[in-house]
Amino acid sequence: MKTFSKLLGSVALLGASAAHAGELEVTHWWTSGGEAAAVSEFAKAFDATGNTWVDGAIAGSGGTARPIIISRILGGDPMGATQLNHGRQAEELIQAGLMTDLTELAEAEGWTDLVNPSSLLESCTYEGRIYCVPVNIHSWQWIWLSHDAFAQIDTAVPSDWNEFAAAAPKLEAAGIVPLAMGQQGWQQNGAFGVMTIAIAGLDAWSKVVIDKDADTARGPEYAAVFEAAVDARNFAANSNVQDWNLATNMVITGKAGGQIMGDWAQGEFQMAGQVAGEDYTCLPGLGVNEILDTGGDAFYFPVIDDEETKAAQMALASTLISPEVQVAFNLKKGSLPVRGDVDLTAANDCMQKGLDILNAGGIMPSGDMNLTADTQTQIEDLMAEFWTSDMSAADAQERYADIIASAD
């Protein structure tokens, strides 16, 4: 977070102005159809407490929204609550004393006994104190396949990445884009991470992302990933969309064979009335290595010196993690709940796959939990350049290894 540190040193912290009693402006970047339907469950539940949710949606991805959110908090114009991802994104805001300590509420409600896996709450914890409430488990480790697209080429829906790659030329010959991919670095980097787990394996990924082992990043396991990424780049060459949900729509409409995207894509399939297992197939771990990274979203509460606002913040934090709200939100979002004690019998085929993997302990930490925002940005910039150029696998691998070598 080198850029963030510079902001802390250069921006004067102004007095935090209180919101109206019982009103909280809540910033987030959930603006697609499925996301908007999900976040409305939070808003309805909070309004039912007698408080008022003032929606502060920021169009675009988290990469667009986070600088805006951070700038407002640093500039003395904090919102009442804000979405961020699990991990280190708020670390320096916490260090600066700008985020509210939720430890007393968490202890009173027994969050440590409810949140599963425990790493989610640990990612909200700094020096033994809890500063955020996790609201879902999102995993990048999925590929979504269009039944219609494969029916058009009279080919069985693939069961893994190798079968998908083998079918790609036939899709292309039929005028179908093999792989839908939005032209944004965070999407391309996410897909690369999924391919890494499927092709290089968890041990190699852990050495690189957790241990920051640049030698492994330069080694043969990662070389195979970058070669596969060249193939994926070719598969996506005619995917001329920017936003992830537009890429998902290509799969929904049979214009693309598949998309590597996190499980939030499920919300878009549901909004389109598609049924998992009938209209589309989901393959965790690309059908090769069925494991879920336990990333996702959490809400933080900037410090505001007003008792009524603080009370509303605690009411929202409690609401977000309540069992009924966890079920209502996550069924629409396509994510898994953070509570291990809720009934999800209504979950679709893909969510059930995720729950089975989660319950079997097939989980791993997300990159957000191990890499700073500064390092993530460097990797995303590299991936954006790689996916939109003819950069060789070897050159991309060497540049990636250099980033890992200097990662903090």
Side-chain angles (χ1 to χ4, degrees):
M1 294 189 179
K2 296 171 184 173
T3 303
F4 190 97
S5 298
K6 292 177 182 177
L7 282 172
L8 279 173
S10 62
V11 178
L13 298 180
L14 305 177
S17 58
H20 292 139
E23 288 188 358
L24 286 185
E25 180 194 4
V26 185
T27 51
H28 59 87
W29 55 85
W30 289 325
T31 56
S32 75
E35 291 174 325
V39 78
S40 70
E41 296 294 335
F42 281 159
K44 286 189 295 184
F46 183 58
D47 288 349
T49 68
N51 294 287
T52 302
W53 174 291
V54 179
D55 200 68
I58 301 171
S61 66
T64 300
R66 280 189 295 272
I68 296 171
I69 291 166
I70 290 169
S71 178
R72 282 191 52 186
I73 296 170
L74 288 172
D77 181 28
M79 59 296 297
T82 188
Q83 172 200 7
L84 290 170
N85 297 122
H86 301 154
R88 301 179 64 179
Q89 293 175 358
E91 190 173 273
E92 293 193 29
L93 286 171
I94 293 168
Q95 292 172 345
L98 299 176
M99 288 300 191
T100 298
D101 187 335
L102 304 178
T103 307
E104 289 186 10
L105 176 66
E107 290 177 346
E109 296 189 346
W111 292 3
T112 54
D113 297 323
L114 299 173
V115 175
N116 177 48
S118 59
S119 60
L120 300 177
L121 197 57
E122 290 167 3
S123 72
C124 286
T125 304
Y126 181 77
E127 294 186 346
R129 308 296 293 180
I130 296 170
Y131 288 91
C132 68
V133 52
V135 296
N136 60 12
I137 302 169
H138 265 317
S139 175
W140 256 104
Q141 306 299 314
W142 300 87
I143 186 169
W144 309 88
L145 303 173
S146 166
H147 285 201
D148 179 49
F150 288 96
Q152 290 180 58
I153 62 169
D154 195 25
T155 298
V157 176
S159 62
D160 60 31
W161 173 257
N162 295 322
E163 291 182 6
F164 175 81
K170 196 172 181 181
L171 287 167
E172 197 162 26
I176 299 170
V177 175
L179 185 67
M181 176 66 67
Q183 305 302 305
Q184 294 170 333
W186 72 269
Q187 297 181 58
Q188 297 150 345
N189 183 43
F192 175 80
V194 176
M195 296 173 70
T196 300
I197 297 299
I199 296 169
L202 182 59
D203 288 345
W205 179 91
S206 298
K207 289 178 182 178
V208 172
V209 177
I210 298 176
D211 300 334
K212 316 299 188 295
D213 184 346
D215 289 337
T216 299
R218 292 189 175 94
E221 296 98 335
Y222 266 70
V225 180
F226 277 96
E227 290 294 344
V230 170
D231 291 338
R233 181 175 66 187
N234 292 334
F235 299 158
N238 294 315
S239 178
N240 299 315
V241 296
Q242 287 290 320
D243 297 328
W244 70 269
N245 53 308
L246 297 181
T248 304
N249 189 63
M250 293 176 67
V251 180
I252 291 171
T253 57
K255 295 177 181 177
Q259 178 191 22
I260 300 174
M261 183 51 60
D263 51 16
W264 49 90
Q266 289 194 77
E268 302 306 301
F269 285 100
Q270 292 182 72
M271 286 289 290
Q274 295 213 328
V275 178
E278 296 180 13
D279 301 306
Y280 64 98
T281 286
C282 53
L283 298 178
L286 304 187
V288 178
N289 189 0
E290 293 192 354
I291 190 169
L292 301 181
D293 54 350
T294 49
D297 302 292
F299 276 82
Y300 290 78
F301 299 83
V303 171
I304 295 177
D305 189 16
D306 177 82
E307 293 305 317
E308 291 179 325
T309 300
K310 291 177 184 177
Q313 289 176 321
M314 295 303 103
L316 178 56
S318 181
T319 299
L320 294 173
I321 203 170
S322 64
E324 299 82 6
V325 175
Q326 277 284 295
V327 171
F329 170 77
N330 285 293
L331 284 178
K332 289 189 175 179
K333 189 69 163 62
S335 48
L336 301 178
V338 300
R339 292 180 67 119
D341 62 345
V342 295
D343 180 9
L344 280 176
T345 54
N348 68 22
D349 179 67
C350 292
M351 289 184 72
Q352 291 293 352
K353 285 183 182 180
L355 285 168
D356 289 345
I357 294 170
L358 180 64
N359 292 334
I363 59 174
M364 55 178 278
S366 72
D368 287 333
M369 295 180 182
N370 293 281
L371 299 173
T372 64
D374 184 68
T375 298
Q376 290 276 49
T377 298
Q378 292 179 58
I379 295 173
E380 288 178 7
D381 289 346
L382 169 61
M383 290 299 162
E385 183 179 352
F386 171 78
W387 280 81
T388 56
S389 71
D390 60 356
M391 185 187 302
S392 71
D395 286 348
Q397 183 179 7
E398 182 59 32
R399 287 177 58 179
Y400 178 83
D402 287 343
I403 293 171
I404 294 300
S406 62
D408 51 4

